Amino acid sequence: MSYGTNIMDAFRQAGVYTGRILKGAKPAELPVVQSTKFELIINHPTARMLGITVPDKLLARADEVIE
């Protein structure tokens, strides 16, 4: 199970920063931006192998369930 930032959102934000720098902005003057999109991913086969029963409510709330 993993709960963390959305990788695609992080790549998009890196592209925005790169664009600003290429347009002449100074990197030291750019604001620090924290990710706002988080996702929950559950690896169901691994949980079963470890003997962990994942509740159905948690599986339903997950952004991605690896089967």
Side-chain angles (χ1 to χ4, degrees):
M1 187 163 51
S2 169
Y3 183 71
T5 60
N6 182 303
I7 296 296
M8 295 306 292
D9 189 49
F11 288 149
R12 184 192 60 76
Q13 190 61 40
V16 170
Y17 265 54
T18 302
R20 287 181 179 179
I21 292 169
L22 290 175
K23 289 179 183 177
K26 294 180 182 178
E29 295 176 357
L30 292 175
V32 175
V33 178
Q34 291 182 333
S35 185
T36 58
K37 291 184 180 180
F38 293 88
E39 59 187 5
L40 174 65
I41 301 173
I42 299 174
N43 189 329
H44 207 209
T46 301
R48 277 183 282 204
M49 285 178 25
L50 293 172
I52 300 170
T53 303
V54 181
D56 291 335
K57 287 185 178 184
L58 188 58
L59 289 172
R61 295 208 57 175
D63 295 302
E64 182 180 345
V65 177
I66 300 170
E67 288 295 336

Short mmCIF file of all heavy atoms in Angstrom, two decimals:
data_model
loop_
_atom_site.label_atom_id
_atom_site.label_comp_id
_atom_site.label_asym_id
_atom_site.label_seq_id
_atom_site.Cartn_x
_atom_site.Cartn_y
_atom_site.Cartn_z
N MET A 1 0.85 -1.15 0.00
CA MET A 1 0.00 0.00 0.00
C MET A 1 0.90 1.23 0.00
O MET A 1 1.92 1.25 0.69
CB MET A 1 -0.90 -0.03 1.23
CG MET A 1 -1.93 1.03 1.25
SD MET A 1 -3.30 0.74 2.39
CE MET A 1 -2.50 0.38 3.90
N SER A 2 0.53 2.21 -0.78
CA SER A 2 1.32 3.43 -0.89
C SER A 2 0.38 4.62 -0.95
O SER A 2 -0.61 4.62 -1.67
CB SER A 2 2.17 3.37 -2.16
OG SER A 2 2.76 4.63 -2.41
N TYR A 3 0.71 5.65 -0.17
CA TYR A 3 -0.04 6.90 -0.20
C TYR A 3 0.97 8.00 -0.42
O TYR A 3 1.86 8.21 0.41
CB TYR A 3 -0.80 7.12 1.10
CG TYR A 3 -1.66 8.36 1.10
CD1 TYR A 3 -2.81 8.41 0.33
CD2 TYR A 3 -1.32 9.46 1.86
CE1 TYR A 3 -3.60 9.54 0.32
CE2 TYR A 3 -2.11 10.59 1.86
CZ TYR A 3 -3.25 10.63 1.09
OH TYR A 3 -4.03 11.75 1.07
N GLY A 4 0.87 8.67 -1.56
CA GLY A 4 1.85 9.70 -1.86
C GLY A 4 1.39 10.60 -2.98
O GLY A 4 0.25 10.53 -3.44
N THR A 5 2.30 11.43 -3.42
CA THR A 5 1.97 12.40 -4.46
C THR A 5 1.75 11.72 -5.80
O THR A 5 2.28 10.66 -6.07
CB THR A 5 3.08 13.45 -4.61
OG1 THR A 5 4.29 12.78 -4.98
CG2 THR A 5 3.30 14.21 -3.34
N ASN A 6 0.97 12.36 -6.60
CA ASN A 6 0.70 11.89 -7.95
C ASN A 6 1.92 12.21 -8.82
O ASN A 6 2.30 13.38 -8.95
CB ASN A 6 -0.55 12.58 -8.48
CG ASN A 6 -0.95 12.12 -9.85
OD1 ASN A 6 -0.16 12.21 -10.78
ND2 ASN A 6 -2.17 11.66 -9.98
N ILE A 7 2.53 11.21 -9.39
CA ILE A 7 3.76 11.39 -10.18
C ILE A 7 3.52 12.28 -11.40
O ILE A 7 4.35 13.14 -11.71
CB ILE A 7 4.33 10.01 -10.61
CG1 ILE A 7 4.74 9.21 -9.38
CG2 ILE A 7 5.51 10.17 -11.55
CD1 ILE A 7 5.85 9.82 -8.57
N MET A 8 2.41 12.10 -12.07
CA MET A 8 2.14 12.91 -13.26
C MET A 8 2.00 14.38 -12.89
O MET A 8 2.44 15.26 -13.64
CB MET A 8 0.87 12.41 -13.96
CG MET A 8 1.01 11.01 -14.54
SD MET A 8 2.43 10.81 -15.65
CE MET A 8 1.93 11.83 -17.00
N ASP A 9 1.41 14.67 -11.74
CA ASP A 9 1.29 16.05 -11.29
C ASP A 9 2.67 16.64 -10.99
O ASP A 9 2.94 17.80 -11.29
CB ASP A 9 0.39 16.12 -10.05
CG ASP A 9 0.06 17.55 -9.67
OD1 ASP A 9 -0.34 18.33 -10.55
OD2 ASP A 9 0.22 17.89 -8.47
N ALA A 10 3.56 15.84 -10.40
CA ALA A 10 4.92 16.31 -10.11
C ALA A 10 5.68 16.61 -11.40
O ALA A 10 6.39 17.62 -11.48
CB ALA A 10 5.66 15.27 -9.28
N PHE A 11 5.53 15.76 -12.41
CA PHE A 11 6.18 16.00 -13.70
C PHE A 11 5.64 17.27 -14.35
O PHE A 11 6.38 18.06 -14.93
CB PHE A 11 6.00 14.82 -14.64
CG PHE A 11 6.81 13.61 -14.27
CD1 PHE A 11 6.34 12.34 -14.57
CD2 PHE A 11 8.02 13.71 -13.63
CE1 PHE A 11 7.08 11.22 -14.24
CE2 PHE A 11 8.77 12.59 -13.30
CZ PHE A 11 8.29 11.34 -13.60
N ARG A 12 4.33 17.48 -14.26
CA ARG A 12 3.72 18.68 -14.83
C ARG A 12 4.29 19.92 -14.15
O ARG A 12 4.65 20.89 -14.81
CB ARG A 12 2.20 18.64 -14.69
CG ARG A 12 1.50 19.81 -15.36
CD ARG A 12 0.03 19.90 -14.96
NE ARG A 12 -0.15 20.07 -13.53
CZ ARG A 12 0.04 21.23 -12.87
NH1 ARG A 12 0.45 22.29 -13.51
NH2 ARG A 12 -0.17 21.29 -11.58
N GLN A 13 4.38 19.88 -12.83
CA GLN A 13 4.90 21.02 -12.08
C GLN A 13 6.37 21.28 -12.44
O GLN A 13 6.79 22.42 -12.54
CB GLN A 13 4.75 20.80 -10.58
CG GLN A 13 5.05 22.03 -9.77
CD GLN A 13 4.14 23.19 -10.10
OE1 GLN A 13 2.95 23.02 -10.31
NE2 GLN A 13 4.70 24.37 -10.17
N ALA A 14 7.14 20.23 -12.65
CA ALA A 14 8.55 20.39 -13.07
C ALA A 14 8.61 21.08 -14.43
O ALA A 14 9.48 21.92 -14.67
CB ALA A 14 9.25 19.05 -13.12
N GLY A 15 7.68 20.74 -15.31
CA GLY A 15 7.63 21.39 -16.63
C GLY A 15 7.29 22.87 -16.51
O GLY A 15 7.85 23.70 -17.24
N VAL A 16 6.38 23.21 -15.61
CA VAL A 16 6.02 24.62 -15.39
C VAL A 16 7.24 25.39 -14.88
O VAL A 16 7.52 26.49 -15.36
CB VAL A 16 4.84 24.72 -14.39
CG1 VAL A 16 4.61 26.16 -13.97
CG2 VAL A 16 3.58 24.14 -15.00
N TYR A 17 7.97 24.82 -13.93
CA TYR A 17 9.17 25.47 -13.41
C TYR A 17 10.21 25.65 -14.50
O TYR A 17 10.83 26.69 -14.61
CB TYR A 17 9.76 24.66 -12.26
CG TYR A 17 9.31 25.12 -10.89
CD1 TYR A 17 7.96 25.24 -10.59
CD2 TYR A 17 10.23 25.42 -9.91
CE1 TYR A 17 7.54 25.65 -9.35
CE2 TYR A 17 9.82 25.83 -8.65
CZ TYR A 17 8.47 25.94 -8.38
OH TYR A 17 8.07 26.35 -7.14
N THR A 18 10.40 24.61 -15.30
CA THR A 18 11.38 24.68 -16.40
C THR A 18 11.00 25.80 -17.37
O THR A 18 11.86 26.57 -17.81
CB THR A 18 11.46 23.34 -17.14
OG1 THR A 18 11.80 22.32 -16.20
CG2 THR A 18 12.48 23.38 -18.25
N GLY A 19 9.72 25.89 -17.69
CA GLY A 19 9.25 26.95 -18.59
C GLY A 19 9.52 28.32 -18.03
O GLY A 19 9.94 29.23 -18.76
N ARG A 20 9.28 28.51 -16.74
CA ARG A 20 9.53 29.81 -16.12
C ARG A 20 11.01 30.17 -16.17
O ARG A 20 11.38 31.31 -16.43
CB ARG A 20 9.05 29.81 -14.68
CG ARG A 20 7.55 29.83 -14.53
CD ARG A 20 7.18 29.87 -13.07
NE ARG A 20 5.75 29.92 -12.89
CZ ARG A 20 5.16 29.94 -11.71
NH1 ARG A 20 5.91 29.90 -10.61
NH2 ARG A 20 3.86 29.99 -11.62
N ILE A 21 11.87 29.19 -15.90
CA ILE A 21 13.31 29.44 -15.92
C ILE A 21 13.78 29.78 -17.34
O ILE A 21 14.58 30.69 -17.54
CB ILE A 21 14.08 28.23 -15.34
CG1 ILE A 21 13.78 28.12 -13.85
CG2 ILE A 21 15.58 28.36 -15.59
CD1 ILE A 21 14.26 26.84 -13.21
N LEU A 22 13.26 29.05 -18.32
CA LEU A 22 13.65 29.32 -19.70
C LEU A 22 13.16 30.68 -20.18
O LEU A 22 13.75 31.27 -21.09
CB LEU A 22 13.12 28.22 -20.62
CG LEU A 22 13.79 26.85 -20.46
CD1 LEU A 22 13.09 25.81 -21.33
CD2 LEU A 22 15.27 26.92 -20.79
N LYS A 23 12.12 31.20 -19.56
CA LYS A 23 11.61 32.53 -19.91
C LYS A 23 12.34 33.64 -19.16
O LYS A 23 12.02 34.81 -19.33
CB LYS A 23 10.11 32.62 -19.63
CG LYS A 23 9.29 31.79 -20.60
CD LYS A 23 7.82 31.89 -20.27
CE LYS A 23 7.02 31.00 -21.22
NZ LYS A 23 5.57 31.01 -20.87
N GLY A 24 13.31 33.28 -18.32
CA GLY A 24 14.15 34.28 -17.67
C GLY A 24 13.97 34.44 -16.18
O GLY A 24 14.63 35.29 -15.57
N ALA A 25 13.08 33.70 -15.55
CA ALA A 25 12.90 33.83 -14.10
C ALA A 25 14.11 33.26 -13.38
O ALA A 25 14.72 32.30 -13.83
CB ALA A 25 11.64 33.09 -13.66
N LYS A 26 14.45 33.87 -12.26
CA LYS A 26 15.56 33.38 -11.46
C LYS A 26 15.06 32.24 -10.58
O LYS A 26 14.05 32.39 -9.88
CB LYS A 26 16.12 34.50 -10.59
CG LYS A 26 16.76 35.61 -11.41
CD LYS A 26 17.31 36.69 -10.51
CE LYS A 26 17.89 37.81 -11.36
NZ LYS A 26 18.40 38.91 -10.51
N PRO A 27 15.73 31.09 -10.59
CA PRO A 27 15.27 29.94 -9.79
C PRO A 27 15.12 30.25 -8.31
O PRO A 27 14.22 29.75 -7.66
CB PRO A 27 16.36 28.89 -10.02
CG PRO A 27 16.96 29.25 -11.34
CD PRO A 27 16.89 30.75 -11.42
N ALA A 28 15.97 31.12 -7.77
CA ALA A 28 15.91 31.45 -6.35
C ALA A 28 14.66 32.24 -6.00
O ALA A 28 14.23 32.28 -4.85
CB ALA A 28 17.15 32.22 -5.93
N GLU A 29 14.04 32.87 -7.00
CA GLU A 29 12.86 33.70 -6.75
C GLU A 29 11.55 32.95 -6.99
O GLU A 29 10.49 33.49 -6.71
CB GLU A 29 12.91 34.95 -7.63
CG GLU A 29 14.08 35.86 -7.28
CD GLU A 29 14.19 37.05 -8.22
OE1 GLU A 29 13.39 37.14 -9.18
OE2 GLU A 29 15.08 37.88 -7.99
N LEU A 30 11.63 31.72 -7.48
CA LEU A 30 10.42 30.95 -7.71
C LEU A 30 9.88 30.41 -6.39
O LEU A 30 10.64 29.99 -5.53
CB LEU A 30 10.70 29.79 -8.67
CG LEU A 30 11.01 30.18 -10.11
CD1 LEU A 30 11.38 28.94 -10.93
CD2 LEU A 30 9.82 30.88 -10.75
N PRO A 31 8.57 30.40 -6.24
CA PRO A 31 8.00 29.90 -4.98
C PRO A 31 8.11 28.38 -4.87
O PRO A 31 8.17 27.67 -5.87
CB PRO A 31 6.53 30.32 -5.08
CG PRO A 31 6.25 30.36 -6.55
CD PRO A 31 7.54 30.84 -7.18
N VAL A 32 8.15 27.92 -3.64
CA VAL A 32 8.15 26.48 -3.39
C VAL A 32 6.69 26.02 -3.47
O VAL A 32 5.83 26.59 -2.81
CB VAL A 32 8.75 26.16 -2.01
CG1 VAL A 32 8.62 24.68 -1.70
CG2 VAL A 32 10.19 26.60 -1.96
N VAL A 33 6.45 25.01 -4.27
CA VAL A 33 5.08 24.51 -4.45
C VAL A 33 5.01 23.09 -3.93
O VAL A 33 5.83 22.25 -4.28
CB VAL A 33 4.68 24.56 -5.94
CG1 VAL A 33 3.28 24.02 -6.13
CG2 VAL A 33 4.79 25.97 -6.47
N GLN A 34 4.02 22.84 -3.08
CA GLN A 34 3.80 21.48 -2.59
C GLN A 34 2.70 20.84 -3.41
O GLN A 34 1.78 21.50 -3.87
CB GLN A 34 3.41 21.51 -1.12
CG GLN A 34 4.53 21.94 -0.22
CD GLN A 34 4.11 21.91 1.24
OE1 GLN A 34 2.94 22.06 1.56
NE2 GLN A 34 5.07 21.70 2.11
N SER A 35 2.80 19.54 -3.55
CA SER A 35 1.81 18.80 -4.32
C SER A 35 0.45 18.86 -3.62
O SER A 35 0.36 18.83 -2.40
CB SER A 35 2.25 17.36 -4.48
OG SER A 35 1.37 16.67 -5.31
N THR A 36 -0.59 18.93 -4.42
CA THR A 36 -1.95 18.96 -3.88
C THR A 36 -2.72 17.70 -4.23
O THR A 36 -3.80 17.49 -3.71
CB THR A 36 -2.72 20.18 -4.40
OG1 THR A 36 -2.74 20.14 -5.82
CG2 THR A 36 -2.08 21.47 -3.91
N LYS A 37 -2.16 16.90 -5.12
CA LYS A 37 -2.83 15.66 -5.53
C LYS A 37 -2.09 14.47 -4.91
O LYS A 37 -0.90 14.29 -5.12
CB LYS A 37 -2.83 15.52 -7.05
CG LYS A 37 -3.70 16.50 -7.76
CD LYS A 37 -3.72 16.22 -9.25
CE LYS A 37 -4.58 17.21 -9.98
NZ LYS A 37 -4.60 16.93 -11.42
N PHE A 38 -2.82 13.68 -4.15
CA PHE A 38 -2.27 12.48 -3.54
C PHE A 38 -3.08 11.29 -3.99
O PHE A 38 -4.26 11.43 -4.34
CB PHE A 38 -2.30 12.59 -2.01
CG PHE A 38 -1.40 13.65 -1.48
CD1 PHE A 38 -1.84 14.95 -1.33
CD2 PHE A 38 -0.09 13.35 -1.14
CE1 PHE A 38 -1.00 15.94 -0.85
CE2 PHE A 38 0.75 14.33 -0.65
CZ PHE A 38 0.29 15.63 -0.50
N GLU A 39 -2.46 10.13 -4.00
CA GLU A 39 -3.18 8.93 -4.43
C GLU A 39 -2.83 7.75 -3.54
O GLU A 39 -1.73 7.66 -3.00
CB GLU A 39 -2.90 8.62 -5.90
CG GLU A 39 -1.45 8.40 -6.22
CD GLU A 39 -1.19 8.26 -7.71
OE1 GLU A 39 -2.11 8.41 -8.52
OE2 GLU A 39 -0.04 7.99 -8.06
N LEU A 40 -3.81 6.87 -3.38
CA LEU A 40 -3.65 5.65 -2.60
C LEU A 40 -3.63 4.48 -3.57
O LEU A 40 -4.56 4.30 -4.36
CB LEU A 40 -4.81 5.49 -1.61
CG LEU A 40 -4.86 4.18 -0.83
CD1 LEU A 40 -3.65 4.06 0.09
CD2 LEU A 40 -6.15 4.09 -0.05
N ILE A 41 -2.56 3.70 -3.51
CA ILE A 41 -2.40 2.54 -4.39
C ILE A 41 -2.23 1.31 -3.51
O ILE A 41 -1.43 1.32 -2.57
CB ILE A 41 -1.19 2.70 -5.34
CG1 ILE A 41 -1.37 3.95 -6.19
CG2 ILE A 41 -1.02 1.46 -6.19
CD1 ILE A 41 -0.17 4.30 -7.03
N ILE A 42 -2.99 0.26 -3.80
CA ILE A 42 -2.93 -0.98 -3.02
C ILE A 42 -2.53 -2.12 -3.93
O ILE A 42 -3.14 -2.33 -4.97
CB ILE A 42 -4.29 -1.28 -2.37
CG1 ILE A 42 -4.67 -0.15 -1.41
CG2 ILE A 42 -4.26 -2.62 -1.64
CD1 ILE A 42 -6.05 -0.27 -0.84
N ASN A 43 -1.49 -2.85 -3.53
CA ASN A 43 -1.06 -4.04 -4.24
C ASN A 43 -1.75 -5.24 -3.57
O ASN A 43 -1.28 -5.74 -2.55
CB ASN A 43 0.47 -4.17 -4.18
CG ASN A 43 0.98 -5.26 -5.08
OD1 ASN A 43 0.30 -6.25 -5.31
ND2 ASN A 43 2.19 -5.07 -5.59
N HIS A 44 -2.88 -5.64 -4.13
CA HIS A 44 -3.72 -6.66 -3.51
C HIS A 44 -3.06 -8.04 -3.47
O HIS A 44 -3.14 -8.72 -2.43
CB HIS A 44 -5.07 -6.69 -4.22
CG HIS A 44 -6.18 -7.18 -3.36
ND1 HIS A 44 -7.27 -7.83 -3.86
CD2 HIS A 44 -6.37 -7.14 -2.02
CE1 HIS A 44 -8.07 -8.15 -2.88
NE2 HIS A 44 -7.56 -7.74 -1.76
N PRO A 45 -2.40 -8.51 -4.52
CA PRO A 45 -1.76 -9.83 -4.44
C PRO A 45 -0.67 -9.90 -3.36
O PRO A 45 -0.56 -10.91 -2.66
CB PRO A 45 -1.15 -10.03 -5.83
CG PRO A 45 -1.90 -9.14 -6.72
CD PRO A 45 -2.31 -7.98 -5.88
N THR A 46 0.09 -8.84 -3.19
CA THR A 46 1.12 -8.83 -2.16
C THR A 46 0.50 -8.86 -0.77
O THR A 46 1.00 -9.55 0.13
CB THR A 46 2.03 -7.59 -2.31
OG1 THR A 46 2.62 -7.63 -3.61
CG2 THR A 46 3.12 -7.57 -1.26
N ALA A 47 -0.58 -8.12 -0.59
CA ALA A 47 -1.27 -8.14 0.71
C ALA A 47 -1.76 -9.54 1.03
O ALA A 47 -1.63 -10.01 2.17
CB ALA A 47 -2.44 -7.15 0.68
N ARG A 48 -2.31 -10.22 0.04
CA ARG A 48 -2.78 -11.60 0.27
C ARG A 48 -1.62 -12.53 0.62
O ARG A 48 -1.75 -13.38 1.50
CB ARG A 48 -3.53 -12.11 -0.95
CG ARG A 48 -4.98 -11.67 -0.99
CD ARG A 48 -5.66 -12.25 -2.17
NE ARG A 48 -5.21 -11.43 -3.31
CZ ARG A 48 -5.85 -11.28 -4.44
NH1 ARG A 48 -6.94 -11.93 -4.68
NH2 ARG A 48 -5.40 -10.49 -5.37
N MET A 49 -0.49 -12.38 -0.08
CA MET A 49 0.68 -13.22 0.20
C MET A 49 1.20 -13.00 1.62
O MET A 49 1.70 -13.93 2.25
CB MET A 49 1.79 -12.95 -0.81
CG MET A 49 1.52 -13.55 -2.17
SD MET A 49 2.77 -13.21 -3.46
CE MET A 49 4.25 -12.90 -2.62
N LEU A 50 1.07 -11.78 2.13
CA LEU A 50 1.51 -11.47 3.48
C LEU A 50 0.45 -11.82 4.52
O LEU A 50 0.69 -11.65 5.72
CB LEU A 50 1.86 -9.98 3.59
CG LEU A 50 3.07 -9.53 2.78
CD1 LEU A 50 3.19 -8.01 2.80
CD2 LEU A 50 4.33 -10.17 3.32
N GLY A 51 -0.70 -12.27 4.07
CA GLY A 51 -1.77 -12.65 4.99
C GLY A 51 -2.56 -11.46 5.52
O GLY A 51 -3.20 -11.55 6.55
N ILE A 52 -2.52 -10.35 4.80
CA ILE A 52 -3.23 -9.14 5.21
C ILE A 52 -4.56 -9.08 4.46
O ILE A 52 -4.60 -9.18 3.24
CB ILE A 52 -2.41 -7.88 4.92
CG1 ILE A 52 -1.09 -7.93 5.67
CG2 ILE A 52 -3.19 -6.62 5.25
CD1 ILE A 52 -0.10 -6.86 5.27
N THR A 53 -5.63 -8.93 5.20
CA THR A 53 -6.95 -8.77 4.60
C THR A 53 -7.24 -7.27 4.50
O THR A 53 -7.31 -6.57 5.50
CB THR A 53 -8.03 -9.44 5.46
OG1 THR A 53 -7.68 -10.82 5.62
CG2 THR A 53 -9.39 -9.32 4.80
N VAL A 54 -7.39 -6.80 3.27
CA VAL A 54 -7.68 -5.38 3.05
C VAL A 54 -9.19 -5.22 3.03
O VAL A 54 -9.88 -5.87 2.23
CB VAL A 54 -7.07 -4.90 1.71
CG1 VAL A 54 -7.35 -3.43 1.50
CG2 VAL A 54 -5.57 -5.16 1.69
N PRO A 55 -9.74 -4.37 3.88
CA PRO A 55 -11.20 -4.18 3.90
C PRO A 55 -11.73 -3.67 2.56
O PRO A 55 -11.06 -2.90 1.86
CB PRO A 55 -11.41 -3.13 4.99
CG PRO A 55 -10.16 -3.16 5.81
CD PRO A 55 -9.07 -3.58 4.88
N ASP A 56 -12.94 -4.11 2.22
CA ASP A 56 -13.55 -3.71 0.95
C ASP A 56 -13.73 -2.20 0.85
O ASP A 56 -13.59 -1.62 -0.22
CB ASP A 56 -14.91 -4.39 0.78
CG ASP A 56 -14.78 -5.88 0.55
OD1 ASP A 56 -13.71 -6.31 0.06
OD2 ASP A 56 -15.74 -6.62 0.84
N LYS A 57 -14.02 -1.54 1.97
CA LYS A 57 -14.18 -0.08 1.96
C LYS A 57 -12.87 0.61 1.57
O LYS A 57 -12.88 1.61 0.86
CB LYS A 57 -14.64 0.43 3.32
CG LYS A 57 -16.08 0.10 3.61
CD LYS A 57 -16.52 0.72 4.92
CE LYS A 57 -17.98 0.42 5.18
NZ LYS A 57 -18.46 1.09 6.39
N LEU A 58 -11.75 0.08 2.03
CA LEU A 58 -10.46 0.65 1.68
C LEU A 58 -10.14 0.41 0.20
O LEU A 58 -9.63 1.29 -0.48
CB LEU A 58 -9.35 0.08 2.57
CG LEU A 58 -7.98 0.71 2.44
CD1 LEU A 58 -8.04 2.20 2.75
CD2 LEU A 58 -6.99 0.03 3.36
N LEU A 59 -10.46 -0.78 -0.29
CA LEU A 59 -10.26 -1.07 -1.72
C LEU A 59 -11.10 -0.15 -2.59
O LEU A 59 -10.67 0.29 -3.65
CB LEU A 59 -10.61 -2.53 -2.02
CG LEU A 59 -9.64 -3.58 -1.47
CD1 LEU A 59 -10.21 -4.97 -1.68
CD2 LEU A 59 -8.29 -3.45 -2.13
N ALA A 60 -12.31 0.16 -2.12
CA ALA A 60 -13.20 1.03 -2.90
C ALA A 60 -12.68 2.48 -2.92
O ALA A 60 -12.88 3.19 -3.91
CB ALA A 60 -14.60 1.00 -2.32
N ARG A 61 -12.03 2.90 -1.87
CA ARG A 61 -11.53 4.28 -1.79
C ARG A 61 -10.19 4.47 -2.48
O ARG A 61 -9.78 5.61 -2.74
CB ARG A 61 -11.40 4.71 -0.34
CG ARG A 61 -12.76 4.75 0.33
CD ARG A 61 -12.85 5.69 1.42
NE ARG A 61 -12.50 7.04 0.97
CZ ARG A 61 -12.58 8.10 1.74
NH1 ARG A 61 -12.99 7.97 2.97
NH2 ARG A 61 -12.26 9.28 1.30
N ALA A 62 -9.48 3.39 -2.76
CA ALA A 62 -8.16 3.49 -3.38
C ALA A 62 -8.27 4.05 -4.79
O ALA A 62 -9.22 3.79 -5.51
CB ALA A 62 -7.50 2.12 -3.41
N ASP A 63 -7.26 4.83 -5.16
CA ASP A 63 -7.21 5.37 -6.52
C ASP A 63 -6.84 4.29 -7.53
O ASP A 63 -7.26 4.34 -8.67
CB ASP A 63 -6.19 6.51 -6.59
CG ASP A 63 -6.62 7.70 -5.75
OD1 ASP A 63 -7.70 8.23 -5.99
OD2 ASP A 63 -5.85 8.06 -4.83
N GLU A 64 -6.02 3.34 -7.09
CA GLU A 64 -5.62 2.24 -7.97
C GLU A 64 -5.44 0.98 -7.12
O GLU A 64 -4.85 1.04 -6.04
CB GLU A 64 -4.31 2.59 -8.67
CG GLU A 64 -3.83 1.54 -9.64
CD GLU A 64 -2.52 1.93 -10.32
OE1 GLU A 64 -2.13 3.10 -10.26
OE2 GLU A 64 -1.91 1.02 -10.89
N VAL A 65 -5.95 -0.13 -7.61
CA VAL A 65 -5.77 -1.42 -6.96
C VAL A 65 -5.07 -2.34 -7.96
O VAL A 65 -5.59 -2.59 -9.04
CB VAL A 65 -7.11 -2.05 -6.52
CG1 VAL A 65 -6.87 -3.41 -5.91
CG2 VAL A 65 -7.82 -1.14 -5.53
N ILE A 66 -3.87 -2.77 -7.60
CA ILE A 66 -3.12 -3.69 -8.45
C ILE A 66 -3.64 -5.10 -8.17
O ILE A 66 -3.62 -5.55 -7.05
CB ILE A 66 -1.61 -3.57 -8.17
CG1 ILE A 66 -1.14 -2.15 -8.45
CG2 ILE A 66 -0.84 -4.61 -9.01
CD1 ILE A 66 0.27 -1.88 -7.99
N GLU A 67 -4.13 -5.75 -9.23
CA GLU A 67 -4.69 -7.10 -9.05
C GLU A 67 -3.71 -8.15 -9.47
O GLU A 67 -3.05 -8.34 -10.27
CB GLU A 67 -5.97 -7.25 -9.87
CG GLU A 67 -7.12 -6.48 -9.29
CD GLU A 67 -7.58 -6.97 -7.93
OE1 GLU A 67 -7.37 -8.13 -7.58
OE2 GLU A 67 -8.13 -6.15 -7.20
#
